[in-house]
Structure formats: C-alpha cells, structure tokens
C-alpha cells in the first residue's frame, strides 16, 4: 500500500504509467527518444494513442511541491483521510495494468528522461532533501504500486488539501487515486484537457 509517501512534481506534473504498456506503445510508434514530454508536445495524436491504450494518465499544471499519495482499491479501502479535505474530483480515466500487476507514479522530470530499465527490480526512485534545520527527508521522483490483479481499470482522481496548513505553505496538497474494474458505456476523460490547476485556485481552496 502506498500511503503518506510524497512525490515531487519536478517538471510541474506527475503521471501514472503502466510501464510495459507504455513501452509497447513506444515500440508500436517506433519512438527512440527518451524525452517523452517533449515528444508528446510535438506529436499530439500519438499522445492520445498512449492515453487510449491506458498507458498513461498525466496530471499537469501542478505547482512545484511534494504531494501526498493515497491509493484505494476494492482490496484496500480503509484509508485515513481525516486530516484532508477533498477539493476536486475527476472521473473516470482509462488505465491498464499489465501482467506485472504494477504501475508507477512518476514526476514529469522522470518522464522527460524515460528509461524503463531504471525501474527494473526497484520499488522507488528517491531523492534526499534537507529542511531548514538540516534534517534529512526522502522525496520520491517515482514510486511503484502493486495491484492484486492485472487488467483495465476505471480511475478516479481526487485533489486533496490539508485541513491544517503548514506554516511554510509546503506539502499542503495530495491526491487520492481510486481504482475499480472497467465497466461498459463509460466515457473516459481526456487527462490532457483537464484543469488540474483548479486544485490551487483561491476560490476553491479557501478555508
């Protein structure tokens, strides 16, 4: 279970990726570059193919910060969100989990330097940072999440804000990801057209 881990939004965004499906899409489209963000910016139709295949769900236009992560499935639905309030809900997105039963959540910075070999045998890609008192902390640039089953999922995303804000105005936001089995007759959202920055708008986040 991934809970209370924080991921960096270096590159001003994060993305959920099914690595094997993502690589299959790269091979299908004969993509050689590792700079996938730049590639998607220049090849919108191929980007939509990745989204349609359930290979990626990008969450863009985020402020640079570290975001708390909560994952909910039918097998893992006992989350403690008492310190958070839900600001925005978006549903549903298409995401496919391959036979490895895993997906990764990574920063846009990592997506711009894509290398599936970096993920092999790993549970995370992390970075150490220090607070004003020189205490070390870990932030994640990429985190693996393991599922009980492979297959196609309907994903809903909720944007969270802490009820009690930090004094330095950092690490006040997070995301709740809810997964359920794919259902018929669902019109999936195009994540590239979602205003995820709505999470930070003053009229939505004021106490």
């Amino acid at each position: 279970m991934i809970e209370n881990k924080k991921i960096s939004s270096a590159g001003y965004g994060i993305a959920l990726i099914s690595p094997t499906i993502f690589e299959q899409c790269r091979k299908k489209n004969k993509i050689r570059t590792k700079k996938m963000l730049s590639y998607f910016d220049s090849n919108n139709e191929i980007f939509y193919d990745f989204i349609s295949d359930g290979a990626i769900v990008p969450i863009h236009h985020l402020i640079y910060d570290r975001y708390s992560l909560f994952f909910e499935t039918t097998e893992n639905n006992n989350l403690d969100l008492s310190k958070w309030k839900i600001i925005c809900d978006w549903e549903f997105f298409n995401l496919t989990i391959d036979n490895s039963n895993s997906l990764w959540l990574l920063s846009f910075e990592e997506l711009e330097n894509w290398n599936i070999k970096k993920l092999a045998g790993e549970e995370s890609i992390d970075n150490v940072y220090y607070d004003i008192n020189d205490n070390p902390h870990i932030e994640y640039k990429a985190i693996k999440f393991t599922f009980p089953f492979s297959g196609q999922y309907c994903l809903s995303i909720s944007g969270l804000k802490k009820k009690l804000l930090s004094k330095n105005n950092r690490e006040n936001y997070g995301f709740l990801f809810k997964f359920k089995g794919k259902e018929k007759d669902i019109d999936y959202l195009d994540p590239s057209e979602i205003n995820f920055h709505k999470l930070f708008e003053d009229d939505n986040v004021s106490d």
Side-chain angles (χ1 to χ4, degrees), residues 1-128:
M1 179 178 68
I2 296 177
E3 185 176 352
N4 295 331
K5 288 187 177 180
K6 299 181 177 68
I7 191 165
S8 167
S9 62
Y12 301 98
I14 57 180
L16 291 102
I17 287 182
S18 184
T20 303
I21 307 299
F22 195 85
E23 277 298 292
Q24 289 174 356
C25 290
R26 279 171 47 88
K27 291 178 181 178
K28 180 176 67 175
N29 291 284
K30 300 179 180 179
I31 300 171
R32 288 180 163 270
T33 182
K34 294 181 178 180
K35 296 182 177 181
M36 291 305 299
L37 271 183
S38 300
Y39 182 86
F40 288 148
D41 284 341
S42 303
N43 299 271
N44 290 334
E45 290 187 5
I46 294 178
F47 179 40
Y48 297 141
D49 286 342
F50 276 68
I51 292 173
S52 297
D53 287 345
I56 182 172
V57 176
I59 303 174
H60 48 86
H61 290 98
L62 301 182
I63 60 175
Y64 178 68
D65 204 347
R66 290 177 287 273
Y67 293 82
S68 295
L69 305 174
F70 300 88
F71 282 67
E72 179 179 307
T73 66
T74 54
E75 293 77 18
N76 172 39
N77 56 13
N78 189 25
L79 301 177
D80 181 8
L81 298 175
S82 59
K83 296 180 180 179
W84 299 85
K85 58 182 177 181
I86 295 176
I87 304 301
C88 309
D89 287 305
W90 300 280
E91 59 183 25
F92 290 102
F93 302 95
N94 178 36
L95 195 61
T96 301
I97 307 301
D98 60 44
N99 291 334
S100 70
N101 289 18
S102 64
L103 67 82
W104 281 77
L105 200 154
L106 47 81
S107 69
F108 274 9
E109 186 178 77
E110 287 297 305
L111 187 58
E112 184 66 355
N113 188 30
W114 172 255
N115 184 353
I116 193 171
K117 293 180 181 179
K118 290 172 62 177
L119 308 182
E122 301 293 338
E123 296 296 319
S124 64
I125 299 173
D126 53 42
N127 182 49
V128 177

